[in-house]
Coordinates of all heavy atoms in Angstrom, one line a residue:
G1355 N -2.7 23.6 -36.9 CA -1.7 22.5 -37.3 C -0.3 22.8 -36.8 O 0.4 21.9 -36.3
G1356 N 0.1 24.1 -36.9 CA 1.4 24.5 -36.4 C 1.5 24.3 -34.9 O 2.5 23.8 -34.4
L1357 N 0.4 24.6 -34.2 CA 0.4 24.4 -32.7 C 0.6 22.9 -32.4 O 1.3 22.6 -31.5 CB -0.9 24.9 -32.1 CG -1.1 26.4 -32.1 CD1 -2.5 26.8 -31.7 CD2 -0.2 27.0 -31.0
G1358 N -0.1 22.1 -33.2 CA 0.1 20.7 -33.0 C 1.5 20.2 -33.1 O 2.0 19.4 -32.3
M1359 N 2.1 20.6 -34.2 CA 3.5 20.2 -34.5 C 4.5 20.7 -33.4 O 5.4 20.1 -33.0 CB 3.9 20.6 -35.9 CG 3.2 19.9 -37.0 SD 3.6 18.1 -37.0 CE 5.2 18.1 -37.7
G1360 N 4.2 21.9 -32.9 CA 5.0 22.5 -31.9 C 4.9 21.8 -30.6 O 5.8 21.8 -29.8
L1361 N 3.8 21.1 -30.4 CA 3.7 20.2 -29.2 C 4.3 18.8 -29.4 O 5.0 18.3 -28.5 CB 2.2 20.0 -28.8 CG 1.4 21.2 -28.4 CD1 -0.1 20.9 -28.2 CD2 2.0 21.8 -27.1
V1362 N 4.2 18.3 -30.6 CA 4.6 16.9 -30.9 C 6.1 16.8 -31.0 O 6.8 16.0 -30.4 CB 3.9 16.4 -32.2 CG1 4.6 15.1 -32.6 CG2 2.4 16.2 -31.9
M1363 N 6.7 17.6 -31.9 CA 8.1 17.4 -32.2 C 9.1 17.6 -31.1 O 9.9 16.7 -30.8 CB 8.5 18.4 -33.4 CG 7.7 18.2 -34.6 SD 7.8 16.5 -35.3 CE 8.9 16.8 -36.7
P1364 N 9.0 18.6 -30.3 CA 9.9 18.7 -29.1 C 9.7 17.6 -28.1 O 10.6 17.1 -27.5 CB 9.7 20.1 -28.5 CG 9.0 20.9 -29.6 CD 8.3 19.9 -30.4
S1365 N 8.4 17.2 -27.9 CA 8.1 16.2 -26.9 C 8.7 14.8 -27.3 O 9.2 14.1 -26.5 CB 6.6 16.0 -26.8 OG 6.0 17.2 -26.3
L1366 N 8.6 14.5 -28.6 CA 9.3 13.3 -29.1 C 10.8 13.3 -28.9 O 11.4 12.3 -28.6 CB 8.9 13.0 -30.5 CG 7.4 12.7 -30.8 CD1 7.2 12.6 -32.3 CD2 7.0 11.4 -30.1
A1367 N 11.4 14.4 -29.1 CA 12.8 14.6 -28.9 C 13.2 14.3 -27.4 O 14.2 13.7 -27.1 CB 13.3 15.9 -29.4
V1368 N 12.4 14.9 -26.5 CA 12.6 14.7 -25.1 C 12.5 13.2 -24.8 O 13.3 12.6 -24.0 CB 11.6 15.5 -24.3 CG1 11.7 15.1 -22.8 CG2 11.9 17.0 -24.4
L1369 N 11.4 12.5 -25.3 CA 11.3 11.1 -25.0 C 12.4 10.3 -25.6 O 12.8 9.3 -25.0 CB 9.9 10.7 -25.6 CG 8.7 11.1 -24.9 CD1 7.4 10.8 -25.7 CD2 8.6 10.5 -23.5
L1370 N 12.9 10.7 -26.7 CA 14.0 9.9 -27.3 C 15.2 9.9 -26.3 O 15.8 8.8 -26.1 CB 14.4 10.5 -28.6 CG 15.7 9.9 -29.2 CD1 15.2 8.7 -30.2 CD2 16.5 10.8 -30.0
L1371 N 15.5 11.0 -25.8 CA 16.7 11.1 -24.8 C 16.4 10.3 -23.6 O 17.2 9.7 -23.0 CB 17.0 12.5 -24.5 CG 17.5 13.3 -25.7 CD1 18.0 14.7 -25.2 CD2 18.7 12.6 -26.4
E1372 N 15.1 10.3 -23.1 CA 14.7 9.5 -21.9 C 14.9 8.0 -22.2 O 15.3 7.3 -21.3 CB 13.3 9.8 -21.5 CG 13.1 11.2 -20.9 CD 11.7 11.4 -20.4 OE1 10.9 10.4 -20.5 OE2 11.4 12.5 -20.0
F1373 N 14.6 7.6 -23.4 CA 14.7 6.2 -23.7 C 16.0 5.7 -24.3 O 16.2 4.7 -24.8 CB 13.6 5.8 -24.7 CG 12.2 6.1 -24.2 CD1 11.2 6.3 -25.1 CD2 11.9 6.0 -22.9 CE1 9.9 6.6 -24.7 CE2 10.6 6.2 -22.4 CZ 9.6 6.5 -23.3
S1374 N 17.1 6.6 -24.2 CA 18.4 6.3 -24.7 C 19.4 6.3 -23.6 O 19.2 6.9 -22.6 CB 18.8 7.3 -25.8 OG 17.9 7.3 -26.9
T1375 N 20.5 5.6 -23.9 CA 21.7 5.7 -23.0 C 22.8 6.4 -23.7 O 22.7 6.7 -24.9 CB 22.1 4.2 -22.6 OG1 22.7 3.6 -23.8 CG2 21.0 3.4 -22.2
D1376 N 23.9 6.6 -23.0 CA 25.1 7.2 -23.6 C 25.6 6.4 -24.8 O 26.1 6.9 -25.7 CB 26.2 7.4 -22.6 CG 26.0 8.6 -21.7 OD1 25.2 9.4 -22.0 OD2 26.7 8.7 -20.6
A1377 N 25.4 5.1 -24.6 CA 25.9 4.2 -25.6 C 25.2 4.1 -26.9 O 25.7 3.7 -28.0 CB 26.1 2.8 -25.0
D1378 N 23.9 4.5 -26.9 CA 23.1 4.4 -28.2 C 22.3 5.7 -28.5 O 21.4 5.6 -29.4 CB 22.1 3.2 -28.0 CG 21.1 3.4 -26.9 OD1 21.1 4.5 -26.3 OD2 20.3 2.5 -26.7
R1379 N 22.7 6.8 -27.9 CA 21.9 8.0 -28.1 C 22.1 8.5 -29.6 O 21.1 8.9 -30.2 CB 22.5 9.1 -27.2 CG 21.6 10.4 -27.2 CD 22.2 11.4 -26.2 NE 22.0 11.0 -24.8 CZ 23.0 10.9 -23.9 NH1 24.2 11.2 -24.2 NH2 22.7 10.6 -22.7
G1380 N 23.3 8.3 -30.2 CA 23.5 8.7 -31.5 C 22.7 7.8 -32.5 O 22.0 8.4 -33.4
R1381 N 22.7 6.5 -32.3 CA 22.0 5.6 -33.2 C 20.5 5.9 -33.2 O 19.8 5.9 -34.2 CB 22.3 4.2 -32.9 CG 21.4 3.2 -33.6 CD 21.8 1.7 -33.3 NE 23.0 1.4 -34.0 CZ 23.3 0.1 -34.4 NH1 22.4 -0.9 -34.1 NH2 24.4 -0.2 -35.0
N1382 N 20.0 6.1 -31.9 CA 18.6 6.3 -31.8 C 18.1 7.7 -32.4 O 17.1 7.8 -33.0 CB 18.2 6.3 -30.3 CG 18.4 4.9 -29.7 OD1 18.5 3.9 -30.4 ND2 18.4 4.9 -28.4
S1383 N 19.0 8.7 -32.2 CA 18.7 10.0 -32.8 C 18.7 9.9 -34.3 O 17.8 10.5 -35.0 CB 19.8 11.0 -32.4 OG 19.8 11.2 -31.0

């Protein structure tokens, strides 16, 4: 289970930044 979360959580954070702009990075985070 820990291995799974270690794969999921950083990956979603990376995707969040890919799908954000300078103008909305804070709101999306």
